[in-house]
Amino acid sequence: MSRTPATARRPRIGLVAGGLGAYWPQFPELLPQLKRSAARVTERMQEFDAEVVDIGFISDAQEAAVAAEKLRAADCDLIVGFLTTYMTATMLVPIAQRSGAPVLLINLQPTEAMDHATFDTGAWLAYCGACPLPEMANAFERVGVPFRSVSGHLEDERAWQRIGRWIRAAGVRSVLRHGRHGLMGHLYPGMYDVSTDLTMVPGNTGGHVEVLEFDDLRVRVEKVGDEEVAAKLAETREIFDLADSVIEEDLEWAARVAVGLDRLVADFDLDSLAYYHRGLDGETHERLGAGMILGASLLTARGVPTCGEYELRTSLAMLVADRLGAGGSFTELQALNFRDGVVEMGHDGPGHLAISERKPLLRGLGVYHGKRGWGVSVEFDVKHGPVTLVGVGQTRDGRYRLIAAEGEVVGGPLLEIGNTTSRVDFGCDPGEWTDAWSASGVAHHWALATGRLLPELRAVADLTGLDLVEVRV
């Protein structure tokens, strides 16, 4: 059964709360209070776009061992351990070791501070989640388990923002581990930087690469009915402004291909798609490749990143950005503007419609630069304000790494040639920035995403084991 992008690959978060059972007979009111705190954490966790597997409260190492087996069987993307009060390392180390998932420890005391004048030992212990945190860090280090934590109080929004960051990163980890990534057509001739060893995708991130042929699209496009084309045209006219250069026949073909693309993605259960086909003399495959831009842009806006030039690693970068809620549009360098101090970047072909500054435009083109074909192309500017560039580079030994830089999209003159184009200010000389960005090994495509994502990407790198290169000048 095919998934919908809105609910695709939701992260599964395991949740366990605990405290030292020796306290319960000594302080009868303590455990009920801690369980109320645990219930509040469960409530807040369920507000995130994730599947929460709550296995309850543990009080000793034996209960921890049972919890570890339950969480291992649940195949979680992140385990959250709630330190409600002091607990020994023997209660969390087995969970961390056996679950097969990264572990986040949270220390959220009931309120901002204790009422020192009225508190006794039992009341203080409800605020003592910080006490075992160094113990856990030490034990995790010694058994070889990566450590991460968030400390705050139950209603501390700063703490919950940090927790949310880890959950979003777990969502990225989930879609990379379980994702299905389509690769259709063939390499753009000569692009060594784009060429991808398919084994390196599951080797670095997990997931599966589905090798597709343009005939897989052709047979689906051939079966598209006129009513479906009419519906897609109506959707297109609602989403886009149409330039006078758009030829109706080309638009109808793009809509027909878009319906076929929808079927292709559903039939192969794809989370992303990268494609390219050169074609010759206007034959069917060339027409399919030229007609992809509309449907690919609509798919990208729905959460299925689709990009041209056979750029599998960039479709993964776009997927990372999209799952962080930041869009992610297919991008390359276009020109440097030394007068205004900006780098102009974008791409012809598909763009992420959800992050457009204005209503996107469809422009009719007689020729695509450097590619065979003709038809309609997407033109817009990414939303003005903070942005992050996200790329997936590959080292000589085949290891993937995230590459990122933060800047700001600013207004100004743009080309009107059917491209997505943005003017990005990195707060430095455009030439110096371009040299530093190129030296990172990013290759010539990446995702342009909205917002400042470096904190989110650091969490993604931590959970996935990918290195993160932060480019600054």
Side-chain angles (χ1 to χ4, degrees):
M1 181 181 295
S2 63
R3 299 165 291 105
T4 60
T7 59
R9 317 293 182 204
R10 293 173 66 215
R12 183 175 296 137
I13 310 298
L15 179 59
V16 56
L20 187 65
Y23 293 150
W24 314 153
Q26 294 176 316
F27 308 102
E29 296 180 0
L30 178 59
L31 181 58
Q33 181 180 3
L34 299 181
K35 287 187 173 181
R36 288 193 296 272
S37 291
R40 179 57 178 154
V41 166
T42 300
E43 187 179 70
R44 289 295 301 262
M45 290 281 292
Q46 290 172 339
E47 295 173 4
F48 293 99
D49 185 22
E51 177 188 351
V52 178
V53 180
D54 184 358
I55 62 163
F57 201 97
I58 60 173
S59 300
D60 55 36
Q62 289 78 16
E63 291 179 359
V66 173
E69 288 306 305
K70 290 180 179 178
L71 290 170
R72 183 189 61 78
D75 189 27
C76 296
D77 298 294
L78 179 69
I79 305 296
V80 177
F82 177 23
L83 310 178
T84 66
T85 185
Y86 176 73
M87 55 196 297
T88 63
T90 56
M91 297 172 63
L92 282 181
V93 164
I95 290 174
Q97 287 181 311
R98 300 174 196 173
S99 65
V103 178
L104 169 67
L105 301 185
I106 60 174
N107 153 44
L108 301 178
Q109 62 188 41
T111 64
E112 291 178 297
M114 294 186 291
D115 183 354
H116 299 80
T118 63
F119 270 33
D120 59 11
T121 301
W124 155 60
L125 286 171
Y127 284 70
C128 200
C131 179
L133 200 56
E135 175 178 338
M136 300 301 171
N138 178 281
F140 277 33
E141 168 66 24
R142 292 165 68 184
V143 300
V145 173
F147 180 83
R148 57 197 69 83
S149 67
V150 172
S151 292
H153 60 88
L154 282 176
E155 306 305 332
D156 183 352
E157 292 306 318
R158 293 171 301 179
W160 281 107
Q161 287 175 7
R162 293 167 62 199
I163 293 168
R165 183 177 299 148
W166 286 111
I167 291 176
R168 286 188 292 276
V172 173
R173 179 178 185 266
S174 175
V175 78
L176 293 178
R177 285 178 67 220
H178 303 293
R180 294 175 53 82
H181 312 295
L183 190 60
M184 183 169 70
H186 62 78
L187 181 71
Y188 188 102
M191 284 187 175
Y192 284 166
D193 62 311
V194 171
S195 62
T196 300
D197 179 344
L198 301 190
T199 307
M200 290 297 96
V201 175
N204 281 278
T205 67
H208 166 77
V209 179
E210 184 72 22
V211 177
L212 303 169
E213 299 183 10
F214 259 73
D215 284 322
D216 290 311
L217 177 61
R218 175 185 59 79
V219 296
R220 287 164 174 81
V221 170
E222 289 173 349
K223 295 176 182 178
V224 173
D226 291 341
E227 290 185 0
E228 294 170 295
V229 173
K232 187 63 72 173
L233 285 170
E235 178 186 359
T236 298
R237 290 191 169 94
E238 181 179 347
I239 292 173
F240 293 91
D241 284 333
L242 270 61
D244 293 339
S245 57
V246 172
I247 298 172
E248 188 65 24
E249 181 182 356
D250 290 344
L251 182 61
E252 290 183 2
W253 173 248
R256 189 174 297 276
V257 175
V259 176
L261 273 174
D262 289 345
R263 291 181 176 176
L264 182 82
V265 166
D267 290 348
F268 287 97
D269 195 23
L270 300 180
D271 293 280
S272 70
L273 174 65
Y275 70 91
Y276 176 75
H277 185 83
R278 182 177 59 183
L280 292 169
D281 298 329
E283 49 84 32
T284 298
H285 297 92
E286 181 182 347
R287 293 190 66 218
L288 286 169
M292 292 274 290
I293 294 173
L294 172 62
S297 297
L298 293 172
L299 279 172
T300 301
R302 283 171 36 206
V304 184
T306 304
C307 68
E309 299 187 12
Y310 212 60
E311 249 290 28
L312 176 59
R313 292 197 310 279
T314 298
S315 67
L316 295 178
M318 292 165 65
L319 187 61
V320 169
D322 187 83
R323 291 304 187 269
L324 293 176
S329 203
F330 190 43
T331 304
E332 67 183 2
L333 293 173
Q334 293 180 326
L336 307 183
N337 188 326
F338 293 96
R339 181 188 59 214
D340 297 338
V342 297
V343 178
E344 298 182 31
M345 59 180 66
H347 210 283
D348 65 334
H352 199 307
L353 308 178
I355 61 172
S356 176
E357 171 69 14
R358 54 183 167 81
K359 191 172 184 179
L361 178 75
L362 275 184
R363 188 179 295 279
L365 299 179
V367 64
Y368 296 140
H369 84 266
K371 306 172 186 69
R372 296 189 59 83
W374 60 93
V376 297
S377 190
V378 173
E379 181 176 301
F380 67 78
D381 181 17
V382 168
K383 289 178 181 177
H384 295 181
V387 291
T388 303
L389 279 56
V390 184
V392 175
Q394 180 174 322
T395 64
R396 187 172 184 177
D397 63 2
R399 289 182 56 82
Y400 284 6
R401 58 186 177 188
L402 297 170
I403 302 171
E406 291 182 341
E408 182 172 359
V409 170
V410 297
L414 301 170
L415 293 172
E416 297 180 356
I417 58 172
N419 282 23
T420 62
T421 304
S422 297
R423 295 157 50 91
V424 187
D425 183 353
F426 292 99
C428 63
D429 176 78
E432 292 182 16
W433 181 86
T434 300
D435 290 337
W437 179 247
S438 301
S440 71
V442 70
H444 83 273
H445 299 118
W446 52 86
L448 179 59
T450 55
R452 301 200 181 280
L453 298 184
L454 283 178
E456 315 280 338
L457 292 170
R458 291 172 191 137
V460 169
D462 185 292
L463 296 191
T464 60
L466 298 174
D467 291 335
L468 172 62
V469 177
E470 300 179 21
V471 177
R472 294 186 177 92
V473 177

